[in-house]
Amino acid sequence: MRALALALCLGLAQPAGATGSELLDFTDLPGWEADDHAVALAAFLRSCHRLDDAEWRAVCAFGAAATPEPQAFFERFFRPVLIGGHAPARLTAYFEPELRASATPAPGFAVPVYRLPPELGGGQLGPSRAEVDAGALAGRGLELAWLRSPAELYYLQMQGSGRLVLNDGRVLRLGWGGQNGHPRRSVSAEAVRRGILASHQASARSVRAWVRNNPEAGQALLQHDPSYVFFRLLPDHPAELGPLGALDVPLTPGRSLAVDPAHVPLGAPVWVQRDSTSALMVAQDTGGAIRGPQRGDLFMGTGETAEQEARRVRERGRMVVLLPVELAFRTVAAPAGPEW
């Protein structure tokens, strides 16, 4: 999934496009003047080296070589483009979990965290979640660590990265390592269908608690989702930096955004207007459930506080993409959608 997203971003494949692109002005962005543009610029420059298109290289070169006034930099080199029409954006949030783990199988730690099997490196279809649970990958030396429950593994896989605190005090940083090629199915919706949870209780946190308290039935519920995420160790990733996103650069809490790269180019600044606040973010990640031009997932940070903040974000809003000037005009004029 992330390899495809990167290909779309770098112009190696043509996106599906989006209808209803509309050129806006910065005065159309409520709260624009009050935002901290310096933080947004720092996040933008962090992933500039991943952008290969000529228009992006030009604005990135100026931003990196000079010391621009951040707000003026964005207003001079970009134009806001509303992509996907006026339907409200659906905004959620995610975070980097921190979980207890063991480096080897141990009492209370029996659930393996797997790296990507080498035969799946080309995007082939791999074993389903149920098949992995039944031992399809056991004994091959693919285990990175061991967790306490299938609920914690699923929780880690939903976020796509995490920190594992081992019993000896060491901390392992895990990044996205790949996926088994099966489509994702909603476990929360299935829990409602089976009468396990009421619809108003259906959340990732509620499912996690139910699975933890009902180990056998809980594992069967998780197997409704055949999708399975693999991880990779990030031994040289500094502890103070956020996890790596789809562009393989550290995510910035409150400024990095997961998008659908078929509609929003990875690396682009995106003005995210929420119910309570607005901010300039940067499209630096993707997600299996992030689909459509007005769908965004906000990265909130690492650990329990970030988790609590992420749980509160279930909002309608608006996403406006900032594109280099010439690209913005071409995108709005193009009959088949954006050109990136």
Side-chain angles (χ1 to χ4, degrees):
M1 178 181 65
R2 295 188 179 216
L4 172 60
L6 185 57
L8 290 169
C9 168
L10 300 182
L12 302 178
Q14 286 297 318
T19 59
S21 298
E22 179 182 347
L23 193 67
L24 303 180
D25 191 86
F26 286 98
T27 58
D28 298 318
L29 309 182
W32 171 259
E33 295 282 345
D35 192 31
D36 189 341
H37 300 88
V39 177
L41 177 58
F44 170 70
L45 293 176
R46 179 168 279 173
S47 54
C48 259
H49 67 284
R50 302 305 303 239
L51 307 180
D52 285 346
D53 190 77
E55 283 95 344
W56 291 104
R57 285 201 305 269
V59 297
C60 284
F62 184 88
T67 309
E69 198 285 317
Q71 181 177 337
F73 168 77
F74 288 113
E75 292 176 355
R76 178 180 179 185
F77 290 100
F78 294 88
R79 289 294 180 270
V81 178
L82 177 64
I83 295 174
H86 289 270
R90 187 161 77 90
L91 303 173
T92 54
Y94 68 113
F95 62 99
E96 182 186 31
E98 189 170 80
L99 300 170
R100 286 184 56 199
S102 175
T104 58
F109 295 89
V111 179
V113 179
Y114 286 117
R115 63 168 53 90
L116 182 72
E119 68 272 15
L120 301 186
Q124 294 87 343
L125 189 67
S128 67
R129 179 174 301 276
E131 291 168 335
V132 174
D133 288 348
L137 300 178
R140 296 182 53 187
L142 299 172
E143 298 86 354
L144 297 174
W146 302 78
L147 297 176
R148 292 176 292 186
S149 75
E152 290 193 340
L153 174 63
Y154 192 74
Y155 175 74
L156 182 68
Q157 291 174 321
M158 286 184 65
Q159 305 305 320
S161 62
R163 302 185 193 213
L164 302 185
V165 181
L166 303 181
N167 295 332
D168 61 8
R170 289 182 295 139
V171 176
L172 300 182
R173 293 294 296 272
L174 299 183
W176 174 275
Q179 194 257 358
N180 65 349
H182 291 264
R184 183 178 178 271
R185 296 178 184 167
S186 172
V187 171
S188 297
E190 180 64 11
V192 173
R193 191 191 70 80
R194 296 185 187 186
I196 293 170
L197 297 173
S199 58
H200 69 277
Q201 298 174 316
S203 67
R205 187 179 181 90
S206 297
V207 169
R208 180 186 177 195
W210 190 88
V211 171
R212 185 173 57 244
N213 294 330
N214 302 271
E216 187 172 336
Q219 188 165 29
L221 174 64
L222 295 180
Q223 289 172 358
H224 170 74
D225 182 5
S227 175
Y228 197 92
V229 171
F230 301 99
F231 295 92
R232 59 188 172 114
L233 288 176
L234 303 174
D236 300 321
H237 193 63
E240 69 274 10
L241 296 181
L244 299 181
L247 287 177
D248 219 28
V249 299
L251 302 178
T252 303
R255 295 290 170 170
S256 293
L257 180 72
V259 299
D260 182 349
H263 299 277
V264 177
L266 287 174
V270 182
W271 180 252
V272 179
Q273 187 175 328
R274 298 170 53 187
D275 294 338
S276 55
T277 184
S278 300
L280 184 58
M281 307 186 74
V282 185
Q284 292 174 319
D285 207 1
T286 63
I290 311 304
R291 293 290 179 264
Q294 289 289 313
R295 179 69 175 95
D297 206 21
L298 290 63
F299 175 66
M300 306 307 287
T302 299
E304 186 175 351
T305 299
E307 177 184 2
Q308 293 172 355
E309 293 176 353
R311 287 175 53 207
R312 291 193 288 266
V313 181
R314 297 290 185 276
E315 302 178 13
R316 298 292 182 178
R318 186 171 72 158
M319 292 167 47
V320 179
V321 183
L322 270 59
L323 297 177
V325 176
E326 291 187 9
L327 180 58
F329 280 101
R330 292 205 310 270
T331 296
V332 173
E339 300 182 2
W340 51 82

